[in-house]
PDB file of all heavy atoms in Angstrom:
ATOM      1  N   VAL A   1       0.838  -1.206  -0.013  1.00  0.00           N
ATOM      2  CA  VAL A   1       0.010   0.004   0.000  1.00  0.00           C
ATOM      3  C   VAL A   1       0.857   1.263  -0.004  1.00  0.00           C
ATOM      4  O   VAL A   1       0.570   2.230  -0.696  1.00  0.00           O
ATOM      5  CB  VAL A   1      -0.947   0.010   1.225  1.00  0.00           C
ATOM      6  CG1 VAL A   1      -1.788   1.262   1.252  1.00  0.00           C
ATOM      7  CG2 VAL A   1      -1.841  -1.224   1.190  1.00  0.00           C
ATOM      8  N   PHE A   2       1.950   1.231   0.772  1.00  0.00           N
ATOM      9  CA  PHE A   2       2.778   2.423   0.945  1.00  0.00           C
ATOM     10  C   PHE A   2       4.235   2.089   0.619  1.00  0.00           C
ATOM     11  O   PHE A   2       5.023   1.758   1.504  1.00  0.00           O
ATOM     12  CB  PHE A   2       2.690   2.930   2.389  1.00  0.00           C
ATOM     13  CG  PHE A   2       1.283   3.170   2.860  1.00  0.00           C
ATOM     14  CD1 PHE A   2       0.725   2.359   3.804  1.00  0.00           C
ATOM     15  CD2 PHE A   2       0.552   4.227   2.333  1.00  0.00           C
ATOM     16  CE1 PHE A   2      -0.576   2.597   4.244  1.00  0.00           C
ATOM     17  CE2 PHE A   2      -0.759   4.447   2.749  1.00  0.00           C
ATOM     18  CZ  PHE A   2      -1.320   3.630   3.706  1.00  0.00           C
ATOM     19  N   PRO A   3       4.645   2.149  -0.659  1.00  0.00           N
ATOM     20  CA  PRO A   3       6.026   1.827  -1.007  1.00  0.00           C
ATOM     21  C   PRO A   3       7.025   2.858  -0.476  1.00  0.00           C
ATOM     22  O   PRO A   3       6.698   4.043  -0.384  1.00  0.00           O
ATOM     23  CB  PRO A   3       6.000   1.797  -2.519  1.00  0.00           C
ATOM     24  CG  PRO A   3       4.866   2.686  -2.904  1.00  0.00           C
ATOM     25  CD  PRO A   3       3.849   2.547  -1.803  1.00  0.00           C
ATOM     26  N   ASP A   4       8.232   2.392  -0.163  1.00  0.00           N
ATOM     27  CA  ASP A   4       9.297   3.305   0.262  1.00  0.00           C
ATOM     28  C   ASP A   4       9.697   4.179  -0.909  1.00  0.00           C
ATOM     29  O   ASP A   4       9.649   3.760  -2.070  1.00  0.00           O
ATOM     30  CB  ASP A   4      10.517   2.502   0.724  1.00  0.00           C
ATOM     31  CG  ASP A   4      10.281   1.766   2.036  1.00  0.00           C
ATOM     32  OD1 ASP A   4       9.234   2.010   2.688  1.00  0.00           O
ATOM     33  OD2 ASP A   4      11.142   0.967   2.427  1.00  0.00           O
ATOM     34  N   GLU A   5      10.111   5.395  -0.601  1.00  0.00           N
ATOM     35  CA  GLU A   5      10.593   6.332  -1.627  1.00  0.00           C
ATOM     36  C   GLU A   5      11.914   6.933  -1.162  1.00  0.00           C
ATOM     37  O   GLU A   5      12.085   7.224   0.026  1.00  0.00           O
ATOM     38  CB  GLU A   5       9.615   7.473  -1.835  1.00  0.00           C
ATOM     39  CG  GLU A   5       8.281   7.064  -2.407  1.00  0.00           C
ATOM     40  CD  GLU A   5       7.364   8.240  -2.549  1.00  0.00           C
ATOM     41  OE1 GLU A   5       7.580   9.068  -3.448  1.00  0.00           O
ATOM     42  OE2 GLU A   5       6.443   8.352  -1.707  1.00  0.00           O
ATOM     43  N   ILE A   6      12.823   7.101  -2.084  1.00  0.00           N
ATOM     44  CA  ILE A   6      14.082   7.818  -1.836  1.00  0.00           C
ATOM     45  C   ILE A   6      14.189   8.915  -2.876  1.00  0.00           C
ATOM     46  O   ILE A   6      14.084   8.672  -4.079  1.00  0.00           O
ATOM     47  CB  ILE A   6      15.305   6.878  -1.880  1.00  0.00           C
ATOM     48  CG1 ILE A   6      15.269   5.921  -0.715  1.00  0.00           C
ATOM     49  CG2 ILE A   6      16.601   7.707  -1.886  1.00  0.00           C
ATOM     50  CD1 ILE A   6      16.434   4.950  -0.656  1.00  0.00           C
ATOM     51  N   ILE A   7      14.415  10.141  -2.384  1.00  0.00           N
ATOM     52  CA  ILE A   7      14.553  11.297  -3.268  1.00  0.00           C
ATOM     53  C   ILE A   7      15.934  11.879  -3.011  1.00  0.00           C
ATOM     54  O   ILE A   7      16.285  12.188  -1.879  1.00  0.00           O
ATOM     55  CB  ILE A   7      13.464  12.338  -2.982  1.00  0.00           C
ATOM     56  CG1 ILE A   7      12.081  11.694  -3.162  1.00  0.00           C
ATOM     57  CG2 ILE A   7      13.638  13.572  -3.874  1.00  0.00           C
ATOM     58  CD1 ILE A   7      10.966  12.410  -2.458  1.00  0.00           C
ATOM     59  N   ILE A   8      16.716  12.019  -4.068  1.00  0.00           N
ATOM     60  CA  ILE A   8      18.067  12.558  -3.978  1.00  0.00           C
ATOM     61  C   ILE A   8      18.120  13.857  -4.754  1.00  0.00           C
ATOM     62  O   ILE A   8      17.803  13.892  -5.941  1.00  0.00           O
ATOM     63  CB  ILE A   8      19.109  11.562  -4.506  1.00  0.00           C
ATOM     64  CG1 ILE A   8      19.072  10.278  -3.668  1.00  0.00           C
ATOM     65  CG2 ILE A   8      20.514  12.175  -4.519  1.00  0.00           C
ATOM     66  CD1 ILE A   8      19.945   9.157  -4.189  1.00  0.00           C
ATOM     67  N   ASP A   9      18.520  14.902  -4.071  1.00  0.00           N
ATOM     68  CA  ASP A   9      18.646  16.237  -4.673  1.00  0.00           C
ATOM     69  C   ASP A   9      20.114  16.630  -4.602  1.00  0.00           C
ATOM     70  O   ASP A   9      20.595  17.025  -3.558  1.00  0.00           O
ATOM     71  CB  ASP A   9      17.759  17.236  -3.950  1.00  0.00           C
ATOM     72  CG  ASP A   9      17.717  18.601  -4.637  1.00  0.00           C
ATOM     73  OD1 ASP A   9      18.658  18.914  -5.417  1.00  0.00           O
ATOM     74  OD2 ASP A   9      16.760  19.345  -4.393  1.00  0.00           O
ATOM     75  N   GLU A  10      20.819  16.474  -5.726  1.00  0.00           N
ATOM     76  CA  GLU A  10      22.258  16.782  -5.741  1.00  0.00           C
ATOM     77  C   GLU A  10      22.532  18.275  -5.621  1.00  0.00           C
ATOM     78  O   GLU A  10      23.570  18.676  -5.094  1.00  0.00           O
ATOM     79  CB  GLU A  10      22.902  16.221  -7.004  1.00  0.00           C
ATOM     80  CG  GLU A  10      23.046  14.726  -6.982  1.00  0.00           C
ATOM     81  CD  GLU A  10      23.797  14.180  -8.168  1.00  0.00           C
ATOM     82  OE1 GLU A  10      23.737  14.793  -9.260  1.00  0.00           O
ATOM     83  OE2 GLU A  10      24.484  13.162  -7.994  1.00  0.00           O
ATOM     84  N   ASP A  11      21.629  19.094  -6.118  1.00  0.00           N
ATOM     85  CA  ASP A  11      21.822  20.547  -6.018  1.00  0.00           C
ATOM     86  C   ASP A  11      21.816  21.028  -4.580  1.00  0.00           C
ATOM     87  O   ASP A  11      22.645  21.861  -4.188  1.00  0.00           O
ATOM     88  CB  ASP A  11      20.776  21.307  -6.835  1.00  0.00           C
ATOM     89  CG  ASP A  11      20.896  21.047  -8.325  1.00  0.00           C
ATOM     90  OD1 ASP A  11      22.011  20.729  -8.786  1.00  0.00           O
ATOM     91  OD2 ASP A  11      19.871  21.163  -9.030  1.00  0.00           O
ATOM     92  N   GLU A  12      20.881  20.527  -3.781  1.00  0.00           N
ATOM     93  CA  GLU A  12      20.803  20.903  -2.378  1.00  0.00           C
ATOM     94  C   GLU A  12      21.602  19.974  -1.472  1.00  0.00           C
ATOM     95  O   GLU A  12      21.610  20.169  -0.253  1.00  0.00           O
ATOM     96  CB  GLU A  12      19.333  20.958  -1.945  1.00  0.00           C
ATOM     97  CG  GLU A  12      18.569  22.065  -2.607  1.00  0.00           C
ATOM     98  CD  GLU A  12      17.190  22.277  -2.004  1.00  0.00           C
ATOM     99  OE1 GLU A  12      16.987  21.909  -0.825  1.00  0.00           O
ATOM    100  OE2 GLU A  12      16.338  22.813  -2.716  1.00  0.00           O
ATOM    101  N   GLN A  13      22.224  18.957  -2.057  1.00  0.00           N
ATOM    102  CA  GLN A  13      23.070  18.012  -1.306  1.00  0.00           C
ATOM    103  C   GLN A  13      22.297  17.346  -0.162  1.00  0.00           C
ATOM    104  O   GLN A  13      22.725  17.346   0.987  1.00  0.00           O
ATOM    105  CB  GLN A  13      24.320  18.728  -0.751  1.00  0.00           C
ATOM    106  CG  GLN A  13      25.245  19.244  -1.826  1.00  0.00           C
ATOM    107  CD  GLN A  13      26.017  18.121  -2.459  1.00  0.00           C
ATOM    108  OE1 GLN A  13      26.751  17.415  -1.795  1.00  0.00           O
ATOM    109  NE2 GLN A  13      25.846  17.956  -3.758  1.00  0.00           N
ATOM    110  N   LYS A  14      21.102  16.789  -0.512  1.00  0.00           N
ATOM    111  CA  LYS A  14      20.329  16.129   0.509  1.00  0.00           C
ATOM    112  C   LYS A  14      19.581  14.914  -0.014  1.00  0.00           C
ATOM    113  O   LYS A  14      19.335  14.790  -1.219  1.00  0.00           O
ATOM    114  CB  LYS A  14      19.330  17.100   1.168  1.00  0.00           C
ATOM    115  CG  LYS A  14      18.184  17.523   0.267  1.00  0.00           C
ATOM    116  CD  LYS A  14      17.229  18.440   0.995  1.00  0.00           C
ATOM    117  CE  LYS A  14      16.037  18.783   0.109  1.00  0.00           C
ATOM    118  NZ  LYS A  14      15.069  19.610   0.796  1.00  0.00           N
ATOM    119  N   LEU A  15      19.253  14.007   0.903  1.00  0.00           N
ATOM    120  CA  LEU A  15      18.508  12.811   0.608  1.00  0.00           C
ATOM    121  C   LEU A  15      17.236  12.835   1.472  1.00  0.00           C
ATOM    122  O   LEU A  15      17.295  13.214   2.648  1.00  0.00           O
ATOM    123  CB  LEU A  15      19.327  11.581   0.960  1.00  0.00           C
ATOM    124  CG  LEU A  15      18.585  10.261   1.039  1.00  0.00           C
ATOM    125  CD1 LEU A  15      19.356   9.197   0.321  1.00  0.00           C
ATOM    126  CD2 LEU A  15      18.324   9.837   2.465  1.00  0.00           C
ATOM    127  N   THR A  16      16.118  12.446   0.884  1.00  0.00           N
ATOM    128  CA  THR A  16      14.867  12.343   1.646  1.00  0.00           C
ATOM    129  C   THR A  16      14.352  10.913   1.519  1.00  0.00           C
ATOM    130  O   THR A  16      14.233  10.379   0.419  1.00  0.00           O
ATOM    131  CB  THR A  16      13.788  13.322   1.108  1.00  0.00           C
ATOM    132  OG1 THR A  16      14.323  14.643   1.172  1.00  0.00           O
ATOM    133  CG2 THR A  16      12.527  13.246   1.905  1.00  0.00           C
ATOM    134  N   TYR A  17      14.090  10.274   2.673  1.00  0.00           N
ATOM    135  CA  TYR A  17      13.498   8.940   2.709  1.00  0.00           C
ATOM    136  C   TYR A  17      12.063   9.108   3.178  1.00  0.00           C
ATOM    137  O   TYR A  17      11.805   9.737   4.212  1.00  0.00           O
ATOM    138  CB  TYR A  17      14.278   8.030   3.671  1.00  0.00           C
ATOM    139  CG  TYR A  17      13.555   6.746   4.005  1.00  0.00           C
ATOM    140  CD1 TYR A  17      13.344   5.788   3.058  1.00  0.00           C
ATOM    141  CD2 TYR A  17      13.071   6.535   5.297  1.00  0.00           C
ATOM    142  CE1 TYR A  17      12.676   4.626   3.367  1.00  0.00           C
ATOM    143  CE2 TYR A  17      12.405   5.363   5.621  1.00  0.00           C
ATOM    144  CZ  TYR A  17      12.221   4.401   4.645  1.00  0.00           C
ATOM    145  OH  TYR A  17      11.537   3.249   4.931  1.00  0.00           O
ATOM    146  N   ARG A  18      11.134   8.553   2.431  1.00  0.00           N
ATOM    147  CA  ARG A  18       9.714   8.713   2.740  1.00  0.00           C
ATOM    148  C   ARG A  18       9.042   7.341   2.830  1.00  0.00           C
ATOM    149  O   ARG A  18       9.178   6.525   1.942  1.00  0.00           O
ATOM    150  CB  ARG A  18       9.055   9.549   1.671  1.00  0.00           C
ATOM    151  CG  ARG A  18       7.645   9.968   1.976  1.00  0.00           C
ATOM    152  CD  ARG A  18       7.058  10.850   0.909  1.00  0.00           C
ATOM    153  NE  ARG A  18       7.770  12.124   0.881  1.00  0.00           N
ATOM    154  CZ  ARG A  18       7.913  12.857  -0.214  1.00  0.00           C
ATOM    155  NH1 ARG A  18       7.422  12.455  -1.362  1.00  0.00           N
ATOM    156  NH2 ARG A  18       8.550  14.007  -0.168  1.00  0.00           N
ATOM    157  N   LYS A  19       8.339   7.110   3.917  1.00  0.00           N
ATOM    158  CA  LYS A  19       7.582   5.874   4.122  1.00  0.00           C
ATOM    159  C   LYS A  19       6.142   6.273   4.421  1.00  0.00           C
ATOM    160  O   LYS A  19       5.869   6.939   5.406  1.00  0.00           O
ATOM    161  CB  LYS A  19       8.170   5.089   5.304  1.00  0.00           C
ATOM    162  CG  LYS A  19       7.410   3.825   5.646  1.00  0.00           C
ATOM    163  CD  LYS A  19       7.539   2.814   4.520  1.00  0.00           C
ATOM    164  CE  LYS A  19       6.812   1.518   4.878  1.00  0.00           C
ATOM    165  NZ  LYS A  19       6.734   0.623   3.750  1.00  0.00           N
ATOM    166  N   GLY A  20       5.222   5.855   3.569  1.00  0.00           N
ATOM    167  CA  GLY A  20       3.823   6.194   3.747  1.00  0.00           C
ATOM    168  C   GLY A  20       3.187   5.454   4.920  1.00  0.00           C
ATOM    169  O   GLY A  20       3.659   4.383   5.302  1.00  0.00           O
ATOM    170  N   GLN A  21       2.179   6.038   5.473  1.00  0.00           N
ATOM    171  CA  GLN A  21       1.406   5.434   6.563  1.00  0.00           C
ATOM    172  C   GLN A  21      -0.065   5.619   6.274  1.00  0.00           C
ATOM    173  O   GLN A  21      -0.443   6.283   5.306  1.00  0.00           O
ATOM    174  CB  GLN A  21       1.782   6.097   7.886  1.00  0.00           C
ATOM    175  CG  GLN A  21       3.239   5.920   8.249  1.00  0.00           C
ATOM    176  CD  GLN A  21       3.628   6.698   9.519  1.00  0.00           C
ATOM    177  OE1 GLN A  21       2.918   7.594   9.945  1.00  0.00           O
ATOM    178  NE2 GLN A  21       4.753   6.323  10.083  1.00  0.00           N
ATOM    179  N   ILE A  22      -0.917   5.047   7.123  1.00  0.00           N
ATOM    180  CA  ILE A  22      -2.348   5.176   6.886  1.00  0.00           C
ATOM    181  C   ILE A  22      -2.768   6.632   6.834  1.00  0.00           C
ATOM    182  O   ILE A  22      -3.527   7.037   5.973  1.00  0.00           O
ATOM    183  CB  ILE A  22      -3.134   4.425   7.980  1.00  0.00           C
ATOM    184  CG1 ILE A  22      -2.888   2.922   7.800  1.00  0.00           C
ATOM    185  CG2 ILE A  22      -4.608   4.720   7.911  1.00  0.00           C
ATOM    186  CD1 ILE A  22      -3.483   2.051   8.870  1.00  0.00           C
ATOM    187  N   ILE A  23      -2.252   7.409   7.737  1.00  0.00           N
ATOM    188  CA  ILE A  23      -2.510   8.862   7.724  1.00  0.00           C
ATOM    189  C   ILE A  23      -1.185   9.561   7.574  1.00  0.00           C
ATOM    190  O   ILE A  23      -0.331   9.522   8.447  1.00  0.00           O
ATOM    191  CB  ILE A  23      -3.211   9.342   8.995  1.00  0.00           C
ATOM    192  CG1 ILE A  23      -4.578   8.631   9.144  1.00  0.00           C
ATOM    193  CG2 ILE A  23      -3.385  10.837   9.026  1.00  0.00           C
ATOM    194  CD1 ILE A  23      -5.295   8.885  10.426  1.00  0.00           C
ATOM    195  N   GLY A  24      -0.949  10.201   6.424  1.00  0.00           N
ATOM    196  CA  GLY A  24       0.285  10.943   6.168  1.00  0.00           C
ATOM    197  C   GLY A  24       1.467  10.032   5.814  1.00  0.00           C
ATOM    198  O   GLY A  24       1.272   8.959   5.233  1.00  0.00           O
ATOM    199  N   HIS A  25       2.639  10.490   6.157  1.00  0.00           N
ATOM    200  CA  HIS A  25       3.849   9.726   5.878  1.00  0.00           C
ATOM    201  C   HIS A  25       4.939  10.126   6.838  1.00  0.00           C
ATOM    202  O   HIS A  25       4.899  11.190   7.458  1.00  0.00           O
ATOM    203  CB  HIS A  25       4.320   9.928   4.418  1.00  0.00           C
ATOM    204  CG  HIS A  25       4.679  11.338   4.104  1.00  0.00           C
ATOM    205  ND1 HIS A  25       3.736  12.229   3.622  1.00  0.00           N
ATOM    206  CD2 HIS A  25       5.832  12.037   4.179  1.00  0.00           C
ATOM    207  CE1 HIS A  25       4.330  13.400   3.423  1.00  0.00           C
ATOM    208  NE2 HIS A  25       5.606  13.319   3.750  1.00  0.00           N
ATOM    209  N   LYS A  26       5.919   9.232   6.987  1.00  0.00           N
ATOM    210  CA  LYS A  26       7.108   9.520   7.817  1.00  0.00           C
ATOM    211  C   LYS A  26       8.209   9.908   6.845  1.00  0.00           C
ATOM    212  O   LYS A  26       8.444   9.214   5.865  1.00  0.00           O
ATOM    213  CB  LYS A  26       7.490   8.267   8.593  1.00  0.00           C
ATOM    214  CG  LYS A  26       8.724   8.457   9.428  1.00  0.00           C
ATOM    215  CD  LYS A  26       9.077   7.158  10.170  1.00  0.00           C
ATOM    216  CE  LYS A  26      10.374   7.336  10.930  1.00  0.00           C
ATOM    217  NZ  LYS A  26      10.799   6.084  11.535  1.00  0.00           N
ATOM    218  N   GLU A  27       8.860  11.031   7.125  1.00  0.00           N
ATOM    219  CA  GLU A  27       9.876  11.529   6.215  1.00  0.00           C
ATOM    220  C   GLU A  27      11.148  11.857   6.990  1.00  0.00           C
ATOM    221  O   GLU A  27      11.097  12.497   8.042  1.00  0.00           O
ATOM    222  CB  GLU A  27       9.336  12.776   5.510  1.00  0.00           C
ATOM    223  CG  GLU A  27      10.224  13.314   4.427  1.00  0.00           C
ATOM    224  CD  GLU A  27       9.544  14.398   3.629  1.00  0.00           C
ATOM    225  OE1 GLU A  27       8.647  14.079   2.855  1.00  0.00           O
ATOM    226  OE2 GLU A  27       9.915  15.556   3.796  1.00  0.00           O
ATOM    227  N   THR A  28      12.283  11.404   6.472  1.00  0.00           N
ATOM    228  CA  THR A  28      13.583  11.672   7.063  1.00  0.00           C
ATOM    229  C   THR A  28      14.433  12.336   5.986  1.00  0.00           C
ATOM    230  O   THR A  28      14.554  11.806   4.884  1.00  0.00           O
ATOM    231  CB  THR A  28      14.267  10.388   7.534  1.00  0.00           C
ATOM    232  OG1 THR A  28      13.405   9.694   8.441  1.00  0.00           O
ATOM    233  CG2 THR A  28      15.588  10.676   8.203  1.00  0.00           C
ATOM    234  N   THR A  29      15.008  13.494   6.322  1.00  0.00           N
ATOM    235  CA  THR A  29      15.876  14.184   5.391  1.00  0.00           C
ATOM    236  C   THR A  29      17.290  14.267   5.983  1.00  0.00           C
ATOM    237  O   THR A  29      17.456  14.596   7.133  1.00  0.00           O
ATOM    238  CB  THR A  29      15.339  15.616   5.120  1.00  0.00           C
ATOM    239  OG1 THR A  29      14.022  15.517   4.565  1.00  0.00           O
ATOM    240  CG2 THR A  29      16.216  16.364   4.125  1.00  0.00           C
TER     241      THR A  29
END
């Protein structure tokens, strides 16, 4: 239902890990 996502932004030099939940999502940058 909620696949893991990884977003890499080389310009801002950051990684975002996103895990969906029933309400909203958990995000780590």
Side-chain angles (χ1 to χ4, degrees):
V1 179
F2 306 110
D4 290 351
E5 295 178 74
I6 292 180
I7 302 159
I8 298 173
D9 187 337
E10 287 186 329
D11 294 334
E12 293 190 24
Q13 295 286 300
K14 70 178 184 177
L15 166 135
T16 302
Y17 167 68
R18 189 177 294 150
K19 177 67 178 171
Q21 298 175 343
I22 292 175
I23 298 174
H25 61 271
K26 179 181 176 185
E27 187 171 288
T28 304
T29 301

